[in-house]
Structures are given as structure tokens and as C-alpha cells.
Amino acid sequence: MARTQLAAAREGTITEAIERVAERENRDPEFVREQVATGQAVIPANRHHDALDPTIIGREFATKVNANIGNSETTSDLETELRKLHTAVHYGADTVMDLGTGGQLDEIREAHLDHSPVPIGTVPLYEAVKRAGSPEDLTPGLLLEVIEKQAEQGVDYMTIHAGILAEHLPLTDGRTTGIVSRGGSIMASWMEAHGEQNPLFQVYDDICEIFAKHDVTFSLGDSLRPGSLADACDEAQYAELDTLGELTRRAWEYDVQVMVEGPGHVPMHKVAENVERQQAVCDGAPFYVLGPLVTDIAPGYDHITSAIGAAMAAQAGAAMLCYVTPKEHLGLPEAEDVRDGLAAYRIAAHAGDVANELPGARDWDDALSEARYDFDWREQFRLALDPERARDYHDQTLPGDNYKEARFCSMCGVEFCSMRIDQDARDAGEMEHLESTTDLESSPAAEVNLPPVGTHESGSLPSLEDSESSTDAAEASSDD
């Protein structure tokens, strides 16, 4: 039996995970196998994660969305963390990263893996620092110990900050915001204190062997990503990217799957450049981006500033988008922030798929537009990305059941509704009638491009009585 999904795909084997992914993406299994075999797509699927419903991440497939959750020293217990997982999956996260730094880390991680139908990612460096007491007290041995333990628990992918090297640090001296990656700052602090090369870089081959043993996917951390527009596309960022390209090829030698993390804060006219450069430097390995934020002026609205960049990145070929909530840069996100962040990123991902003309991606849009023209309010709500919110907004002004049959809403009223006027003209014979023709049941779209969101084989996911009222739905730190 092959050790990893990549090894199996290279041998010509269509695994159960490949079969399931092909079903969810409405693609031929052989095409899926070829994409995995060449490293152009990954299926993060640790063989110990029994609750997993596999997902594929690659530019030829539907764009995926990641949500970050996790506790801190002062917040959250096991029950709250499971509530965070429920909220993230309910609102459409394709993967979830547990970035916890507080107590009960092992217990919480194991609970997530017992229940999560989506791949779980971690940053093992955080736990290693917590155990060491400070970044300076880290050792290569401790890093490997934590990585192997998390792999044995079933973590599907891990962010490894092996690309930031000692020779890169002087390149950050003229930056506006310095090193904004939490993992990057930890590694930089260690190298400055010890006068040695990045320990994760030193033991990278050992990490590859651990990942191969358990089938863990690399998410190569962008430790020197820009934290402001002023720092975008600078020498430091691109020097690390070159190293990440080398690390990608080294991991492939061990039959280990790789995706590469990206920026950050990038002005709109340079978003595509970032994606294209990563694809060239990393030989087409999937690109996993945080945003990017296309402006720095909107604290409180960074789910919007980043979703703009995320949509552009998806169109340019980014394979997965890490969501940003309205609380980014400001504080601890709660349930409504997670809901807003995931909605913004599901929109960005879907918009990118429509722009790239993925099979059937626009069918959802067409079906909803037809329901809107027909004044089929209940169908509009059913097809909406967030049905509860669409219904609530409609009912704030027209709450009665009779208004679910009305040929108007409170925006224009009866007399000035353009679609009612258009329909009346067509009924009078002045123009041809329009017919609804989109059949979502026969659409070739991937599952994530069909309603509703949050569709997974999730029988093991905790059923919470009131996921809407859950607080602290995600401590969605993006500082991985």
C-alpha cells in the first residue's frame, strides 16, 4: 500500500479519497489522480483522521475556504472550541486551522479530529513554544517531537515556517510593518538569539519523513509576507518564496503533498503578479492566500478589503483562501464575525470560480436570478448563500406570509418595481415571456458551487442546540 496520496497517485492508483473528491467536484477520477500526481493539487488526508470527508485543493478545482479557530491563555474550553468548529463548518469552511495557544491543546485537537468532516490544520510551532517557555528555548528535537505527536493524532496539514532563513532577516530592515507572521517572528527571534540557521530548515528532511509516514500535507508558511501595502512584493517576501520553491521540490522527493502560503497585504494591481510568481517558482503547487488585503485603511471592514483581493487571487489561480473577519487587527472574533468572514470568502471563492468558468459554477447564480425574477421569495431564500440572513432582511420590512407571494419588496414598492413592470409588459404581449431554465439537480458544478453551503458528510460533527448564539465562535488569528 502506498504511503501517501501523492505516492499512490504517482503509481497510478485511484484511492478512496480520490474517488470521493472526484464525486464532490464532478470530475473524472483519473483527472483528479493526475493533478495530485503532479503536485498541482493536494488532498490533505491524514490516515488517522477517521471523521474526514476528503477535500481537494488545487487551481483546477473549486476554490476552497479555510477558517481559523483556536483558544488562548484566557479564553475558551473544550465545549466552546467544538462550538467554533460547528460554526465554521456550518457556514461553509472547507478546512479549519486550529491555532490554539491556551490550555487543553491535546484534548481540544483530538476532539476536533474526532468530529471534523473537514481537514484540520495546525501550526505545531505554537505548541512547541508553549512547551519550551520562550522562542529562544526551542530546540530542533522539541520541534520534531511536537510535529510527530500532532501527525500521530491525525492532523491533516501543518504550517511549517522553514522558508525564513538567517540571510533573509536583514532584508526586512526597511519595512513599514516588519515581520507580521507570528511563526516568522518566532523563528527570527530564535535565529537572532542563537546565531544559527532556522531550526525548521535544519530538520526539514526529518519533517518530510514524519509527514510521509502519516500522510500529512505541508502548508509552507510565508513568514515574510507583507503586513502592509508598503511592504508588498519586496525583496524579503520574494527571497523567502524562492526558498519555498526549493522546499516544495524537496518534499515531493519524499512523496509528501505541498501547498504554499501567500500574502498578506497587496495592492490590487499586484495580486495576479503574486499568484503567477508563486506558481512559477513552486512548480504549480497550490497557493493558499490570506486575503490579500488590497487597502490598509479600513479596520473593522477587513473582511471586505481582503475579500476583494481574495476574489482576484482566486481568478488568477489561488487554490484556497484563508478567511479574514471584521475583527482582523482589532480583537477576538465572535460568532457573527465568523459568519460575516466566511460569507465574504465564500462569495470571493465563488466569484473566482465563475470568472474562471469552472464547470457549472454559474448555475447557482442563474437559478437564484430566475427565482428573483419570478418573485419566488422562498426559493430565493433557499438558494441564498446565507438563507437565514436573506430571509431576516426581507422580513424586517415585509414580515407577513402574504408578502412571500408579493411581486415587490420594500426597496421599490408596488408601483416602481422594474421586474413587475417588465413582467406586465410581457404579459400584455409587448415582449416575449421569459422562462426559468436552470436545473441545479443536473448541474456539473462542484458541491461548493451548489447550495447550500456547509455540505459535508458531517454525521460526527456535534449537533448544537443553538449555533447562532454561540459566542467566541473563532479566535480567528491569521498570524500563522
Side-chain angles (χ1 to χ4, degrees):
M1 177 180 175
R3 296 174 300 161
T4 66
Q5 293 293 328
L6 177 54
R10 285 173 163 176
E11 293 168 1
T13 301
I14 294 176
T15 64
E16 290 183 8
I18 290 175
E19 287 276 11
R20 172 58 180 152
V21 162
E23 176 188 356
R24 297 184 68 189
E25 298 283 329
N26 266 324
R27 295 297 189 91
D28 181 74
E30 177 59 22
F31 176 73
V32 176
R33 185 200 66 76
E34 291 172 355
Q35 288 289 299
V36 174
T38 57
Q40 309 303 289
V42 298
I43 303 176
N46 187 316
R47 59 174 52 91
H48 308 302
H49 187 177
D50 295 332
L52 181 67
D53 186 14
T55 295
I56 193 164
I57 301 166
R59 66 182 178 277
E60 296 294 329
F61 302 95
T63 307
K64 304 305 187 295
V65 174
N66 172 68
N68 293 335
I69 65 174
N71 68 356
S72 71
E73 290 288 354
T74 58
T75 65
S76 194
D77 55 19
L78 176 58
E79 181 180 352
T80 304
E81 290 305 307
L82 285 174
R83 190 175 294 121
K84 294 177 184 182
L85 174 66
H86 175 98
T87 303
V89 175
H90 177 75
Y91 287 111
D94 297 296
T95 79
V96 170
M97 288 203 76
D98 179 1
L99 305 183
T101 58
Q104 296 182 287
L105 292 181
D106 281 335
E107 184 180 358
I108 290 170
R109 189 181 307 114
E110 289 171 359
H112 285 161
L113 290 163
D114 285 343
H115 293 291
S116 178
V118 305
I120 295 292
T122 63
V123 185
L125 180 59
Y126 297 169
E127 182 181 350
V129 171
K130 184 176 175 64
R131 287 175 56 177
S134 72
E136 293 75 16
D137 291 329
L138 286 169
T139 65
L142 176 59
L143 289 166
L144 290 174
E145 180 182 333
V146 171
I147 289 168
E148 184 152 29
K149 181 194 67 175
Q150 293 192 8
E152 290 172 347
Q153 287 177 309
V155 171
D156 299 292
Y157 67 97
M158 297 186 201
T159 295
I160 302 296
H161 296 84
I164 178 174
L165 303 181
E167 52 267 35
H168 298 157
L169 302 186
L171 302 178
T172 68
D173 289 345
R175 280 185 157 189
T176 296
T177 47
I179 299 175
V180 298
S181 160
R182 186 189 296 172
S185 65
I186 290 170
M187 289 292 89
S189 176
W190 190 93
M191 286 186 280
E192 289 287 347
H194 292 269
E196 298 179 19
Q197 189 56 277
N198 182 342
L200 287 168
F201 183 82
Q202 294 180 48
V203 298
Y204 188 74
D205 289 335
D206 298 308
I207 299 172
C208 289
E209 290 179 355
I210 293 170
F211 280 16
K213 179 179 178 182
H214 301 280
D215 202 357
V216 179
T217 298
F218 272 108
S219 182
L220 291 175
D222 54 337
S223 307
L224 296 177
R225 68 173 178 267
S228 57
L229 298 192
D231 297 339
C233 309
D234 68 356
E235 191 176 0
Q237 177 192 343
Y238 284 160
E240 183 188 25
L241 179 60
D242 289 341
T243 303
L244 297 182
E246 297 170 9
L247 295 176
T248 296
R249 290 181 283 275
R250 282 173 60 184
W252 285 344
E253 292 174 2
Y254 288 85
D255 289 332
V256 173
Q257 301 181 101
V258 180
M259 54 184 170
V260 178
E261 296 184 12
H265 295 237
V266 177
M268 290 176 64
H269 64 290
K270 293 187 177 181
V271 172
E273 171 190 320
N274 273 258
V275 179
E276 292 162 3
R277 184 163 184 150
Q278 181 274 341
Q279 291 287 274
V281 170
C282 300
D283 294 350
F287 202 23
Y288 162 30
V289 297
L290 174 67
L293 284 72
V294 296
T295 180
D296 298 335
I297 65 167
Y301 298 93
D302 279 337
H303 62 310
I304 298 174
T305 64
S306 62
I308 293 169
M312 297 177 71
Q315 182 182 14
M320 187 161 74
L321 314 174
C322 183
Y323 88 154
V324 172
T325 78
K327 287 277 185 68
E328 185 77 9
H329 303 113
L330 298 174
L332 175 68
E334 297 183 351
E336 200 66 10
D337 304 309
V338 172
R339 181 180 186 175
D340 289 345
L342 277 168
Y345 272 71
R346 284 259 61 102
I347 293 166
H350 181 77
D353 291 345
V354 171
N356 287 328
E357 299 183 323
L358 263 63
R362 209 191 72 188
D363 288 347
W364 186 359
D365 303 78
D366 292 347
L368 197 147
S369 296
E370 291 163 6
R372 180 176 290 138
Y373 184 79
D374 292 339
F375 294 103
D376 189 342
W377 294 103
R378 292 182 178 86
E379 183 69 354
Q380 283 189 64
F381 302 152
R382 186 185 75 83
L383 293 176
L385 181 83
D386 187 337
E388 295 88 355
R389 179 160 292 179
R391 185 182 299 107
D392 289 347
Y393 279 2
H394 173 271
D395 291 356
Q396 284 176 11
T397 50
L398 297 174
D401 283 346
N402 57 309
Y403 291 115
K404 304 298 189 297
E405 314 297 331
R407 296 173 67 209
F408 65 91
C409 73
S410 61
M411 171 66 79
C412 298
V414 180
E415 294 185 12
F416 290 95
C417 177
S418 59
M419 286 192 289
R420 183 197 61 75
I421 295 169
D422 182 81
Q423 286 182 6
D424 288 348
R426 294 178 189 280
D427 289 343
E430 298 171 22
M431 295 180 287
E432 291 185 4
H433 280 93
L434 305 179
E435 301 291 338
S436 299
T437 59
T438 303
D439 179 11
L440 290 182
E441 293 296 322
S442 61
S443 173
E447 281 186 12
V448 299
N449 278 321
L450 293 171
V453 301
T455 54
H456 301 276
E457 289 188 351
S458 54
S460 61
L461 190 67
S463 178
L464 303 175
E465 293 182 1
D466 188 7
S467 65
E468 295 294 327
S469 65
S470 63
T471 58
D472 293 342
E475 185 164 320
S477 167
S478 61
D479 298 328
D480 59 349

